[in-house]
Amino acid sequence: MISIPVRYLYDHLYKDLDLEILAGEKGMDRAIRIARIQKPGLALAGFLDQLHRDRVQILGATELSYLETLDQDLGDERMDQLCSAGVSCLIIAKNLIAPESLVNLCELHQVPLLRSPEITSSLIRRVTVYLEDVLAPETSVHGCLVDVFGVGILLIGKSGIGKSECALGLVARGHRLVGDDVVVLRRKMQDAIFGSAENLIKYHMEIRGLGILNIRDLFGVSSIRKSKKIELVVELVEWHNDLKVERLGLEDNTYSMLGLEIPYLNIPVRPARDLTMIIEVAARNHLLRRMGFNAAKEFDKTLNERLASQTQDTGKPDLESME
Amino acid sequence: MVRVELVIPNKLGLHARAAGKLVEAASPFDCEIWLNKGQQRVNGKSIMGILTLAAARGETIVMEITGPDEERALKVLKKLVLSGFGEKA
């Protein structure tokens, strides 16, 4: 399971969110494992069931003003329960004043107590966006990722099949390279996978016969991009006679990555097949499908209508076409 | 599948020329070759992939080879790495 220490969150966000550490600095290595934050209002009211470990707790005006209404002893007890429940850290919004006992308890239990001038709703949003990004499930694949007409296409296939050459061809036609050879995949926002280049080799490509190329220097800043959502996986395969290939485009095949199913095409490679152009057309076709037009299915429908109208009346009910 | 753990012996580590030699040696085999360093896993026939490992001297890489001539590939590649990619130190 992916986790980050609170220190990471602080280091990455202290400028943006103007964070300060009020107490519990010794607990900066505590882990954050869940991207969703919690507002511990009900926990402070005594209901601890849903108070989750390893999550960031955000205290806004509601929580702090509620604490003020409690007796000193009861308030201290509730804050003690909150601090000892294994939460990752507490962040106070709107630069509100931290109750003295909370500061002491955070110090005692070594739970970082941070504070930001940001208002609660925006603090929640920004912390969540950050955590979703850093805690996203990640893997890497051997392939090339190119943005073709705004469609993120991941090219995969055996080593030497021509993925890089194909990607270079696309870049030369004005499309944008995200990564070559090693593409880092991250699942974000539940239903999307974003790919990016591995840091060391980003914007670089190796082409047999030419060596290592810097695409940004060769083609300019508009030829690259940092990351792109993957909408289509294209596998390049060697052409041989018993290869099973989709001929109609009626089947919707998918490729499984990080638990999501991404539309998938299998494209045979053979001399004189202009792969770059075929991939470009695949991108156009994907855009059409995304808008609800499927050429293969439209054609199939027209054909079936024609067949139905030409069918001779045999006197018997035609069970098959009635299905 | 055959698997071997190798410690990078040469001073410069798995640098660009060394990666080039490794890919050149790996490519003729009819095998899938994967190199792992920690959590990273890259294709052993891809120069850019191997470069992302940035494996320095003393670091361990794990080589996994699958295919009809895996034993021979393992022998050749292991020898290449352990010889420090034919470099002096």
Side-chain angles (χ1 to χ4, degrees):
Chain A
M1 195 172 176
I2 310 160
S3 74
I4 58 156
V6 176
R7 187 182 308 285
Y8 260 55
L9 173 129
Y10 177 77
D11 287 346
H12 287 137
L13 294 182
Y14 81 94
K15 269 192 198 144
D16 282 358
L17 297 177
D18 212 352
L19 285 174
E20 54 177 326
I21 305 174
L22 300 179
E25 201 167 348
K26 283 182 190 154
M28 291 295 273
D29 286 320
R30 275 173 178 266
I32 305 173
R33 292 182 213 278
I34 299 168
R36 282 164 295 150
I37 63 93
Q38 259 196 320
K39 288 199 79 196
L42 279 172
L44 293 174
F47 182 71
L48 296 159
D49 278 18
Q50 298 294 322
L51 184 64
H52 291 293
R53 301 179 61 84
D54 307 322
R55 274 169 86 162
V56 173
Q57 306 287 325
I58 290 186
L59 300 167
T62 326
E63 286 78 11
L64 294 181
S65 52
Y66 173 73
L67 278 172
E68 276 173 26
T69 67
L70 298 180
D71 288 345
Q72 176 82 36
D73 286 352
L74 185 60
D76 287 2
E77 189 193 320
R78 298 277 167 77
M79 285 188 267
D80 188 64
Q81 286 168 336
L82 174 65
C83 291
S84 53
V87 299
S88 312
C89 69
L90 307 177
I91 308 179
I92 294 179
K94 273 166 72 179
N95 261 348
L96 294 163
I97 296 165
E100 205 185 317
S101 21
L102 184 62
V103 175
N104 295 335
L105 285 165
C106 282
E107 200 60 43
L108 177 72
H109 291 290
Q110 302 186 359
V111 177
L113 177 64
L114 312 175
R115 184 164 66 180
S116 163
E118 205 82 10
I119 60 164
T120 314
S121 53
S122 125
L123 181 64
I124 291 175
R125 187 173 50 80
R126 296 177 71 171
V127 170
T128 311
V129 167
Y130 168 76
L131 289 177
E132 272 184 352
D133 188 44
V134 294
L135 295 175
E138 189 181 298
T139 182
S140 72
V141 286
H142 176 61
C144 296
L145 178 57
V146 194
D147 171 345
V148 184
F149 299 127
V151 180
I153 299 185
L154 180 68
L155 297 169
I156 57 171
K158 274 193 178 170
S159 175
I161 191 92
K163 297 181 294 293
S164 296
E165 285 77 3
C166 185
L168 182 65
L170 288 163
V171 168
R173 289 165 85 125
H175 303 291
R176 303 169 77 183
L177 176 78
V178 183
D180 177 45
D181 260 350
V182 181
V183 178
V184 181
L185 306 177
R186 317 184 81 193
R187 181 168 170 181
K188 288 190 202 171
M189 299 178 288
Q190 294 306 316
D191 61 346
I193 292 178
F194 282 78
S196 57
E198 209 279 339
N199 231 342
L200 185 67
I201 57 161
K202 68 179 172 193
Y203 315 143
H204 288 80
M205 204 174 216
E206 186 244 343
I207 297 290
R208 283 168 184 73
L210 295 180
I212 297 173
L213 305 174
N214 183 324
I215 297 303
R216 190 179 55 180
D217 290 352
L218 283 169
F219 293 93
V221 71
S222 61
S223 64
I224 44 141
R225 63 177 292 168
K226 270 167 96 177
S227 86
K228 176 69 192 157
K229 182 179 160 182
I230 297 173
E231 289 188 64
L232 187 61
V233 176
V234 173
E235 181 165 11
L236 304 180
V237 288
E238 275 170 78
W239 188 298
H240 53 85
N241 286 337
D242 43 353
L243 181 71
K244 271 191 79 179
V245 190
E246 179 69 30
R247 297 295 293 266
L248 297 171
L250 285 169
E251 304 297 326
D252 292 322
N253 295 315
T254 59
Y255 188 86
S256 186
M257 288 193 295
L258 291 171
L260 280 186
E261 297 294 324
I262 309 286
Y264 166 85
L265 294 175
N266 192 325
I267 295 187
V269 177
R270 190 154 88 161
R273 256 168 84 86
D274 182 352
L275 274 182
T276 308
M277 183 270 293
I278 291 175
I279 305 284
E280 244 182 9
V281 173
R284 288 176 190 269
N285 207 29
H286 180 81
L287 287 172
L288 268 180
R289 283 177 175 220
R290 208 168 64 182
M291 292 173 73
F293 302 101
N294 184 325
K297 286 182 182 159
E298 298 285 327
F299 180 83
D300 192 39
K301 204 175 125 199
T302 317
L303 178 65
N304 286 340
E305 280 165 10
R306 171 82 68 89
L307 292 174
S309 71
Q310 287 177 359
T311 303
Q312 312 272 321
D313 192 359
T314 54
K316 290 178 196 164
D318 185 354
L319 291 173
E320 246 176 60
S321 66
M322 279 169 69
E323 265 176 18
Chain B
M1 202 247 304
V2 291
R3 187 175 180 277
V4 64
E5 281 188 23
L6 298 167
V7 176
I8 303 293
N10 60 318
K11 192 177 166 192
L12 296 171
L14 197 37
H15 61 104
R17 280 182 202 284
K21 281 185 187 169
L22 192 57
V23 166
E24 198 182 329
S27 293
F29 292 106
D30 186 14
C31 292
E32 287 244 332
I33 301 173
W34 291 94
L35 303 181
N36 302 276
K37 191 189 105 179
Q39 295 294 312
Q40 279 175 284
R41 180 177 172 83
V42 299
N43 192 307
K45 292 182 180 178
S46 140
I47 290 209
M48 301 308 281
I50 293 176
L51 291 180
T52 62
L53 292 180
R57 169 144 83 170
E59 289 194 292
T60 304
I61 56 169
V62 178
M63 198 183 281
E64 289 172 13
I65 310 180
T66 312
D69 46 6
E70 56 189 32
E71 290 292 347
R72 212 160 49 84
L74 182 84
K75 208 175 140 196
V76 169
L77 298 177
K78 182 177 167 183
K79 194 175 155 198
L80 177 66
V81 175
L82 294 182
S83 77
F85 308 96
E87 289 162 20
K88 280 176 194 157

